Amino acid sequence: MGFTQVGFIDIEYDNLQLLEQCQIIYINGGNPFYLLYQMKKSRTDIILRDFACRGNMIIGVSAGAVVLGPNIEIVHYFTPEMNSIKLRDFKALGLTNKIIFPHYDREDLFLNSEGKSIEDRLQEYESLHNCMITRLKNNQFLISEYLIE
């Protein structure tokens, strides 16, 4: 893709001023609860907001995409057991208004004791919360503009 330099920054331990030198930030997947918690604790959320305001690109994959949206409540709905840190505030970065559901094609990741499919549960969630979920399969992506100026 023409990148001449790639660096890895751990927001829990590394100097976050390094993020300000980046042209593109790629946020990897993992546990969305832990990721969001660490982003807020380290103030990476503020750095990312400023980064976006300057017109820079942020790429989120899996949990990294979910935390860019308004909240991570959909994660709690599907996998509350992932919230091992007992996060209570599910408000995310709000850089986009898209609520992302990654791995839409992976029923094996989201088994349900009632035998409901991912789609059945997403429709149920949308109805209960009067919202629209953006479903992304593992081979799909979404390009979205920021909500901030």
Side-chain angles (χ1 to χ4, degrees):
M1 294 185 71
F3 295 116
T4 56
Q5 183 179 6
V6 176
F8 296 90
I9 300 170
D10 184 331
I11 63 170
E12 190 174 0
Y13 301 108
D14 293 338
N15 179 355
L16 298 180
Q17 290 180 338
L18 295 171
L19 289 172
E20 296 181 15
Q21 300 171 15
C22 298
Q23 294 176 328
I24 297 173
I25 294 178
Y26 176 100
I27 305 170
N28 207 5
N31 182 318
F33 299 101
Y34 191 75
L35 178 59
L36 184 59
Y37 170 78
Q38 287 300 333
M39 284 182 156
K40 289 179 178 181
K41 180 181 175 191
S42 67
R43 303 179 58 86
T44 301
D45 57 338
I46 295 167
I47 293 169
L48 291 175
R49 180 170 293 280
D50 291 344
F51 188 82
C53 282
R54 293 193 310 269
N56 295 304
M57 183 183 300
I58 300 172
I59 299 169
V61 175
S62 189
V66 175
V67 299
L68 294 176
N71 62 67
I72 64 167
E73 291 172 5
I74 190 68
V75 180
H76 183 70
Y77 186 77
F78 270 78
T79 54
E81 68 278 3
M82 287 184 77
N83 191 2
S84 58
I85 60 170
K86 307 293 186 225
L87 188 69
R88 292 180 187 207
D89 180 6
F90 300 143
K91 184 176 186 236
L93 276 59
L95 294 178
T96 176
N97 62 357
K98 306 287 185 195
I99 301 171
I100 302 292
F101 187 89
H103 315 297
Y104 177 66
D105 53 344
R106 294 287 311 273
E107 290 284 346
D108 60 308
L109 294 178
F110 305 103
L111 298 176
N112 178 264
S113 61
E114 300 172 14
K116 292 181 182 178
S117 69
I118 290 173
E119 181 59 29
D120 290 340
R121 291 180 284 160
L122 285 173
Q123 288 179 16
E124 186 177 272
Y125 182 90
E126 289 172 325
S127 178
L128 287 170
H129 294 88
N130 192 30
C131 66
M132 186 176 145
I133 305 297
T134 301
R135 296 142 170 85
L136 291 178
K137 297 178 181 178
N138 281 354
N139 65 348
Q140 293 180 313
F141 64 92
L142 171 75
I143 298 175
S144 179
E145 293 188 27
Y146 302 123
L147 292 174
I148 55 178
E149 297 177 4

